[in-house]
Amino acid sequence: MSGPVHAAVLVASALIVAISAIAQAPTRDVQIAVLVTTGLVIIGLYLLACRIWPYAKCTRCSGSGKSRSLSGKKFRDCPRCKGTGRRRRIGRRLIDRHSNR
């Protein structure tokens, strides 16, 4: 992992450990607040990862960009990724849709 990403993962894990310690409190309101905060942190880290790495492997062609013909002897470009082997992640699509408004 790179430096900033490694630091973000360490901070997130420390935050989750601290939150789990607070979650031992007997009140239900505190437990709900901890769960909501943890969910928001996880979503934030996912969106940060989508910002840094916007593409993932195409699931149909497994990142090769090729798919076989019906006979199985010839190759053609994957229709889903159009031969690139990559697809935009869902979080990146949300970021792009929000930034275009």
Side-chain angles (χ1 to χ4, degrees), residues 56-67 78 80-81 84-87:
K57 281 191 331 184
C58 174
T59 54
R60 183 174 288 177
C61 66
S62 300
S64 69
K66 300 176 185 174
S67 63
C78 174
R80 183 173 289 170
C81 67
T84 63
R86 301 182 316 171
R87 63 170 179 84

Side-chain angles (χ1 to χ4, degrees), residues 33-84:
V34 167
L35 288 175
V36 169
T37 304
T38 304
L40 290 175
V41 167
I42 290 171
I43 290 170
L45 289 174
Y46 174 71
L47 290 175
L48 176 66
C50 288
R51 186 96 173 150
I52 296 170
W53 300 288
Y55 296 102
K57 281 191 331 184
C58 174
T59 54
R60 183 174 288 177
C61 66
S62 300
S64 69
K66 300 176 185 174
S67 63
R68 291 188 181 267
S69 65
L70 292 175
S71 66
K73 296 182 180 181
K74 295 181 182 179
F75 289 100
R76 59 186 168 98
D77 286 343
C78 174
R80 183 173 289 170
C81 67
K82 307 211 178 6
T84 63

Side-chain angles (χ1 to χ4, degrees), residues 4-43:
V5 175
H6 188 65
V9 170
L10 287 176
V11 168
S13 63
L15 182 63
I16 290 172
V17 168
I19 289 171
S20 65
I22 294 171
Q24 301 300 324
T27 62
R28 186 149 173 87
D29 292 338
V30 172
Q31 291 177 347
I32 291 173
V34 167
L35 288 175
V36 169
T37 304
T38 304
L40 290 175
V41 167
I42 290 171
I43 290 170

